[in-house]
Amino acid sequence: MNWASILDLLRISLHAMVPITLTAVGEIIGETAGLFNIGLEGILLTSAFVGVLGAKAGGAIVGLLAGVAVGLALGLVFSVICTYWKGTQMIAGIGINLFALGFVAFGLIKLGAPGFHAVPPEAQLLKLRTPMGALSPLIFVALVVPFLAHLFLNRTRAGLILKAAGENPEAADVAGINVNLIRLLATTVGGALAGLAGAYMSVAWFGSVTKELSAGRGFIALATVVFSGLNPLLGLVGGFIFGFFQSLATWIKTLPTKTIPWQFVDMLPYIVTLLVVSGVVGRVRFPKALGVPYKRE
Amino acid sequence: MTGADVRPGGRLLRGAHRTLSGLHPALESVLAAVLGLLVGAVLMYIWGYEPWHAYWALLKGAFGGSYEIASSIARGVPLILTALTFSICVRAGMFNIGAEGQMYVGAAAAVTVAYFKLPAGLHLLVGIALAGIAGALWSLGPALLKLTRGVSEVISTIMFNWMSRFLVFYLVAQVLVDPRRAEKTVSVPRTARFPILVAGTDLSYSVFLAVAFALLVYFLLWHTATGYEMRAAGLNPTAARYGGISIKRTILLSFVLGGIGAGLAGAATTMGLPPTYAIISGLPELMNLGFDGMAVAMVGRNHPIGILVAALFFGGLNAGGRVMQFYGANPVPLEMIRVVMGAIVLAMAIPELIRIFPALAAAGRGLVGSFTRAKKETA
């Protein structure tokens, strides 16, 4: 139990915070406008995979952008189905998750590496040298994005319109706001952020992609959204908490003293998620029209 | 659609109209399946495969002969059960996406029958009961979190899936492990296996378990007071509560019943699937059957009878996919099937799918209209 090891834990936690925070903030934006996307897990996985393809073709930045593009596209598919076509949001989300499972498994086989595909070191995003050790630059992005989202939602006219679309779409419609378009844009932005999170995982953090890369993070992000009560700053806090416990599990497994079987250590993040969510539910308030497609009477 | 029908023969025509209108949801399921296959074809084409060859191989591999059909049914058996898990809860107004994890613990519980001796038949029944109970117990977690703390079941069931996965990994590696072969658990003894139904195939008597459970769910939901309460709670919880229905009870019931179904799916894949009759390390025989069941449930319109039909279709996709992945010079990997499934579910999410295709909708209306001579809606 030395300082170096504790610092190590903190460093992994900061890295683990990024995908959960980015995904959660994106979903906060989407849910504020009234769409509940459980397809985040699938977006994370697909963009992680496509990010690898992009990185191999044109370097790390291209990889990240490819991930963003995929997230944006899947967010668009989800939101067109759930706004203009009045689709059931839960089912559309499940569809995206199933699609991603197949698409990524299929793609991995196509690349000739069943279940695992590494990103060559030169195509990975460079880490910054700091006194703490190597840190991914995206950690700073993940620290800034929640503040920007907070300002956007609470200090701009557009943010207010977004809230109106989620809270009272009828009134927003009467006020001349195009509810479906607003919701579509919000969810697409949310998808793009999840896409960035997915590509970060493969291109800038693990340096590889597997079928289990997302490991429930999409749903942990949903739990973070519940924890945050749609406040992006609390989304950052939640992202760090969940990131910390994920890292703690990894960290415990590297300790020289063997305590409990690794399978039980791996359960830790999921148990913590349940505990946190069951602790905060009841005091958070969600938009009135969340999950309900808007139909003009 | 139809006004007051006072023409002679009106009743007959109305009956015909009702039948045709009832076909509408089934038509949408077929349309969703076709769309899913089309998306799959486009993707195959982009990745440099020959979609039509692949689908031909898939079709032959799924329904080309009695052996193939038996294999398709065998692949459909666990899907029937996990689909019911999802559907029971949807009918009661819940999104239980935890069939996957409930199935794992069911499978692990079924394997424990290897540790005691019982006469054949009774041994099998005990295994089925253990699996069902384990699945039900595992579903209690999310149900109680929902009831006591209001935790969304969408989040909790996924967390329980991951916990179940690691728990069963542990059990397979440390507790139920075969002392002679470390990569699998002990095998279910002969006295506790579902007998093979069609010699030389994977199809065992477990199909009767799945069908019986589907019929039981149908009877319970549509022909008992309890089932009526569950469906009422799903359709309109506020009204149901107003009518004196205990929402807590319907939530608990639907989760437990669903958990039993998923547990039985675990039993079917360990006690009724040759050759190993065990859980293999990494759970290859179980992985994703719970999630695929959700697709089956949606295409089956969350109705037990629809699920039986949809499970045959998806079982065929699975069995045919296994043939497809070895067919031709450039075979298509099995994983393509799940891409198709995802696309089908996305299409199923759209209510009134037919309306997106005006021509189809018009044809459908024309068909119904020609029978009833009802006034055509001007859409």
Side-chain angles (χ1 to χ4, degrees), chain A residues 179-225:
Chain A
V179 173
N180 281 340
L181 184 64
I182 293 289
R183 288 182 166 186
L184 182 120
L185 290 173
T187 313
T188 310
V189 168
L193 278 170
L196 178 62
Y200 157 84
M201 281 197 290
S202 60
V203 176
W205 185 21
F206 294 130
S208 67
V209 60
T210 64
K211 272 187 281 194
E212 271 103 27
L213 183 83
S214 47
R217 281 184 182 80
F219 290 92
I220 291 178
L222 285 175
T224 310
V225 174

Side-chain angles (χ1 to χ4, degrees), chain A residues 37 47 63 79 82 89 137 149 154-155 157 167 171 182 216 220 231 239 265:
Chain A
N37 183 358
S47 53
S79 51
C82 297
Q89 293 170 25
N154 297 307
R155 294 280 181 274
R157 193 187 135 86
E167 197 65 53
I182 293 289
I220 291 178
N231 175 344
V265 177

Side-chain angles (χ1 to χ4, degrees), chain A residues 85-88 90-92 94-95 99 102-103 105-106 109-110 215-216 219 261 263-264 267 270 274 278 281, chain B residues 47 49 95 149-151 154 158-160 162-163 165-167 170 294 298 335-336 339 342 345-346 349-351 356:
Chain A
W85 293 348
K86 313 293 172 228
T88 318
M90 287 281 186
I91 297 181
I94 290 171
F99 182 87
F103 181 80
F106 178 80
I109 286 180
K110 185 78 183 126
F219 290 92
Q263 290 94 341
F264 291 97
M267 284 186 204
Y270 308 108
L274 286 173
S278 50
V281 163
Chain B
W47 289 82
Y49 295 103
F95 271 94
R149 305 290 315 151
V151 178
V154 172
I158 292 282
M159 297 304 137
F160 269 83
W162 285 94
M163 281 150 59
R165 176 193 161 111
F166 290 119
L167 177 68
Y170 171 77
M294 296 192 295
M298 288 171 206
E335 276 68 20
M336 191 66 225
V339 175
V345 172
L346 277 174
I350 304 163
I356 294 175

Side-chain angles (χ1 to χ4, degrees), chain B residues 5-362:
Chain B
D5 215 337
V6 289
R7 290 193 309 274
R11 182 175 304 176
L12 183 74
L13 288 173
R14 266 207 306 277
H17 174 245
R18 236 201 324 273
T19 311
L20 283 164
S21 307
L23 277 177
H24 185 164
L27 277 176
E28 288 197 338
S29 287
V30 172
L31 183 61
V34 171
L35 280 174
L37 289 167
L38 275 175
V39 170
V42 169
L43 277 170
M44 280 194 251
Y45 185 77
I46 291 172
W47 289 82
Y49 295 103
E50 295 195 334
W52 306 122
H53 287 250
Y55 279 152
W56 180 240
L58 191 143
L59 186 69
K60 276 199 305 194
F63 305 110
S66 53
Y67 171 83
E68 285 80 2
I69 291 172
S71 301
S72 296
I73 298 172
R75 295 269 159 217
V77 167
L79 296 179
I80 293 173
L81 292 159
T82 52
L84 287 165
T85 302
F86 183 77
S87 292
I88 293 162
C89 291
V90 166
R91 289 284 177 183
M94 303 286 120
F95 271 94
N96 174 4
I97 46 186
E100 186 81 14
Q102 292 152 24
M103 174 185 63
Y104 295 167
V105 291
V111 167
T112 60
V113 296
Y115 292 98
F116 46 87
K117 282 193 163 42
L118 281 173
L122 180 65
H123 207 169
L124 174 72
L125 289 176
V126 168
I128 292 171
L130 284 173
I133 292 167
L137 286 175
W138 198 255
S139 75
L140 273 182
L144 292 175
L145 280 171
K146 172 113 193 161
L147 292 175
T148 58
R149 305 290 315 151
V151 178
S152 161
E153 71 279 7
V154 172
I155 294 172
S156 61
T157 48
I158 292 282
M159 297 304 137
F160 269 83
N161 282 349
W162 285 94
M163 281 150 59
S164 161
R165 176 193 161 111
F166 290 119
L167 177 68
V168 174
F169 275 1
Y170 171 77
L171 293 175
V172 169
Q174 303 291 340
V175 182
L176 304 169
V177 63
D178 187 335
R180 288 180 301 278
R181 290 175 58 193
E183 84 284 0
K184 70 180 220 11
T185 62
V186 286
S187 289
V188 172
R190 270 175 213 292
T191 46
R193 292 177 190 176
F194 286 98
I196 295 292
L197 186 64
V198 180
T201 67
D202 289 348
L203 185 57
S204 69
Y205 276 70
S206 60
V207 63
F208 296 118
L209 174 74
V211 173
F213 190 72
L215 294 175
L216 178 84
V217 169
Y218 172 72
F219 177 79
L220 187 101
L221 279 177
W222 275 273
H223 294 282
T224 66
T226 307
Y228 170 78
E229 288 186 355
M230 283 162 80
R231 285 183 299 118
L235 287 167
N236 190 338
T238 320
R241 202 176 295 121
Y242 211 74
I245 292 171
S246 161
I247 302 289
K248 289 197 164 180
R249 189 167 154 263
T250 57
I251 288 177
L252 202 59
L253 255 174
S254 62
F255 263 96
V256 167
L257 200 63
I260 292 173
L264 295 181
T269 38
T270 45
M271 301 159 72
L273 188 67
T276 51
Y277 292 99
I279 306 176
I280 299 163
S281 168
L283 322 181
E285 295 293 358
L286 292 162
M287 234 12 125
N288 289 325
L289 286 177
F291 294 125
D292 295 353
M294 296 192 295
V296 175
M298 288 171 206
V299 172
R301 294 272 162 179
N302 295 314
H303 191 291
I305 309 304
I307 284 172
L308 292 178
V309 178
L312 183 63
F313 169 69
F314 281 103
L317 273 183
N318 249 316
R322 279 157 213 278
V323 174
M324 177 182 81
Q325 65 181 340
F326 299 115
Y327 178 83
N330 184 15
V332 179
L334 177 66
E335 276 68 20
M336 191 66 225
I337 300 306
R338 200 157 282 115
V339 175
V340 172
M341 280 189 190
I344 292 174
V345 172
L346 277 174
M348 288 303 302
I350 304 163
E352 299 295 313
L353 183 65
I354 282 186
R355 291 201 182 181
I356 294 175
F357 301 90
L360 266 174

Side-chain angles (χ1 to χ4, degrees), chain A residues 54-248:
Chain A
K56 284 178 73 176
I61 302 293
V62 175
L64 290 179
L65 289 176
V68 171
V70 168
L72 200 134
L74 286 174
L76 194 65
V77 167
F78 174 84
S79 51
V80 166
I81 289 176
C82 297
T83 55
Y84 289 96
W85 293 348
K86 313 293 172 228
T88 318
Q89 293 170 25
M90 287 281 186
I91 297 181
I94 290 171
I96 286 180
N97 287 338
L98 276 176
F99 182 87
L101 274 175
F103 181 80
V104 172
F106 178 80
L108 285 169
I109 286 180
K110 185 78 183 126
L111 291 175
F116 179 84
H117 196 77
V119 186
E122 64 275 11
Q124 290 180 27
L125 192 67
L126 287 175
K127 295 198 160 91
L128 303 172
R129 287 165 184 277
T130 64
M132 262 190 76
L135 291 179
S136 173
L138 279 165
I139 290 174
F140 302 98
V141 175
L143 288 170
V144 169
V145 163
F147 285 92
L148 291 179
H150 186 77
L151 287 176
F152 168 75
L153 287 175
N154 297 307
R155 294 280 181 274
T156 66
R157 193 187 135 86
L160 200 63
I161 289 175
L162 214 65
K163 285 185 176 176
E167 197 65 53
N168 194 337
E170 289 80 7
D173 195 11
V174 171
I177 292 166
N178 185 338
V179 173
N180 281 340
L181 184 64
I182 293 289
R183 288 182 166 186
L184 182 120
L185 290 173
T187 313
T188 310
V189 168
L193 278 170
L196 178 62
Y200 157 84
M201 281 197 290
S202 60
V203 176
W205 185 21
F206 294 130
S208 67
V209 60
T210 64
K211 272 187 281 194
E212 271 103 27
L213 183 83
S214 47
R217 281 184 182 80
F219 290 92
I220 291 178
L222 285 175
T224 310
V225 174
V226 172
F227 168 84
S228 75
L230 296 192
N231 175 344
L233 301 181
L234 283 175
L236 176 62
V237 174
F240 185 79
I241 293 173
F242 292 131
F244 171 79
F245 280 102
Q246 278 181 346
S247 311
L248 188 65

